[in-house]
Amino acid sequence: MFSLGSWLPALPGLAWGWALLDALLQGLVGACAVSVLCSLLKVYLYIQCVNNPERQAEKEAIGAQRPLLEPLHVLVLTAVLALVGSRVAALVVLEFSLRAVSTVLSLGKGAHSSQLYLLCQYSLGCGVSCGLSFLLEGAPHRSWNLLLAAGLAGLLALHARRLARHVCALYELHSRARYCGVCILLLAAGHGLPRLLRNALALTFAVADLSAVELINRDFLSTAEAVRFWTPLTICYTLLVVYMQEESRQSTGRGPAFRTVVVRMGGLFILLLTVGRWSDILHVLVSLLGELWCLLHAGALLESCCRQ
C-alpha cells in the first residue's frame, strides 16, 4: 500500500506485481550479503594458503577465475529467496542460530568455526530477507527503501568481488614488492577478517532472530495455538542439533555438509506436514535447492575449511 504503486491508479493485479517486486528486491539484498561473505572468506582463505607449500593445490582451486559464475549465483539466489515465504525463511534463520550457538559452545571440543561461515550462506540470505520484511513492514514508500538497499548492497558486493579478484591475481606479487596499499593492509591485518565476519554475522542474526520470532507469532490467534506450533518445533530443532554435532565429530569433508542439509530440511519438511501449511512445504523444497546451490558454489572454499 505504501510502495511504488501507491502513486498509480488501482488496477487488477497491480498490487500483486508490486509485492513481487518487493520480494525480488529483498532477495537481491540477501543474495548480495551472501556474495560479500563468500568474497571475504575467499580473500582470507587464499591468504592463508599463499605461504603454505602444502596448500598450493587449495590456493589454485580458490583462485580459479570464473567470471560468469558469481553473477549467476547472485541471480539464482535472488530468485530462491524471493520465492521462499517469510514463515519458512524465519524457521531457517532460527534453526541456524540454534546450531551456531551449539557449535560456538563446542569449539573447545574440536569444532571448526571457519566452516560455519560457509554453512550459514543461505541462512544469512533468509535472515536479511526476514529483517527487511519486518523492519519495513508498513513503512512509507517501502519499495523505494528496498530499491535503495538493493543498490547499496550491490555496490558492496561488487567491491568485495573486485577485492577477491585482485587478491587472487596479484596478492603474491604485491605482498613481496610492498607497493600495493590494499595487499599491504591484508598482509598486516588479514588475520582479523574472521573476527570482522563473526561480529557482522552476530549482529545480522540477532536482528534476524527477533524478526523471525515476530513474523511467526503474528500468524497465531491465541497462546494455545502458538504453543502447539513452538513445542514440536523446539523438540525437532534440538534433535537436529544433537545429530549434527555427532555427525561433525565423526566425519569431515564436504559429504557431511550435504547430508546435514538434507537431514535438516527433511526434519523441517516432516514438521511442517503436521503443523504447517501446504505453501510452507513447497517453500521448504525451494529452501533445500537454495542450500545445495550455496554449498556447490562454495565447493573449493568448503574443501579448504575442512582441511584446516
Side-chain angles (χ1 to χ4, degrees), residues 280-301:
D280 294 336
I281 296 172
L282 176 61
H283 293 158
V284 169
L285 297 177
V286 175
S287 294
L288 175 61
L289 295 178
E291 288 270 16
L292 294 176
W293 173 258
C294 287
L295 290 181
L296 288 172
H297 171 260
L301 302 180

Side-chain angles (χ1 to χ4, degrees), residues 78-150:
T78 297
V80 170
L81 293 174
L83 288 174
V84 173
S86 59
R87 186 181 173 98
V88 171
L91 292 175
V92 171
V93 170
L94 293 175
E95 185 273 331
F96 174 78
S97 298
L98 181 62
R99 182 159 45 105
V101 170
S102 175
T103 301
V104 171
L105 292 177
S106 65
L107 284 176
K109 301 178 182 179
H112 301 284
S113 61
S114 57
Q115 187 175 350
L116 189 64
Y117 296 134
L118 288 173
L119 298 180
C120 82
Q121 292 179 79
Y122 181 73
S123 301
L124 174 62
C126 289
V128 172
S129 181
C130 281
L132 288 173
S133 179
F134 174 70
L135 294 174
L136 295 178
E137 187 174 13
H141 316 316
R142 171 189 172 93
S143 296
W144 284 114
N145 295 330
L146 287 173
L147 187 62
L148 177 60

Side-chain angles (χ1 to χ4, degrees), residues 64-81:
Q65 299 295 331
R66 302 178 180 90
L68 296 180
L69 183 59
E70 187 63 29
L72 177 62
H73 175 61
V74 172
L75 289 176
V76 172
L77 196 53
T78 297
V80 170
L81 293 174

Side-chain angles (χ1 to χ4, degrees), residues 43 47 163 166-167 170-192:
V43 169
I47 293 174
L163 174 63
H166 174 84
V167 168
L170 300 171
Y171 176 78
E172 290 185 84
L173 174 63
H174 288 176
S175 60
R176 289 194 301 264
R178 304 293 177 91
Y179 64 80
C180 174
V182 173
C183 293
I184 292 175
L185 178 62
L186 290 173
L187 182 64
H191 60 276

Side-chain angles (χ1 to χ4, degrees), residues 161-220:
R161 194 187 315 160
R162 287 179 177 175
L163 174 63
R165 190 182 304 120
H166 174 84
V167 168
C168 292
L170 300 171
Y171 176 78
E172 290 185 84
L173 174 63
H174 288 176
S175 60
R176 289 194 301 264
R178 304 293 177 91
Y179 64 80
C180 174
V182 173
C183 293
I184 292 175
L185 178 62
L186 290 173
L187 182 64
H191 60 276
L193 279 176
R195 183 170 61 252
L196 172 66
L197 291 175
R198 182 177 67 246
N199 294 336
L201 289 173
L203 178 60
T204 301
F205 277 102
V207 176
D209 288 337
L210 294 175
S211 303
V213 172
E214 181 62 29
L215 288 173
I216 293 175
N217 282 336
R218 71 181 181 184
D219 293 333
F220 302 129

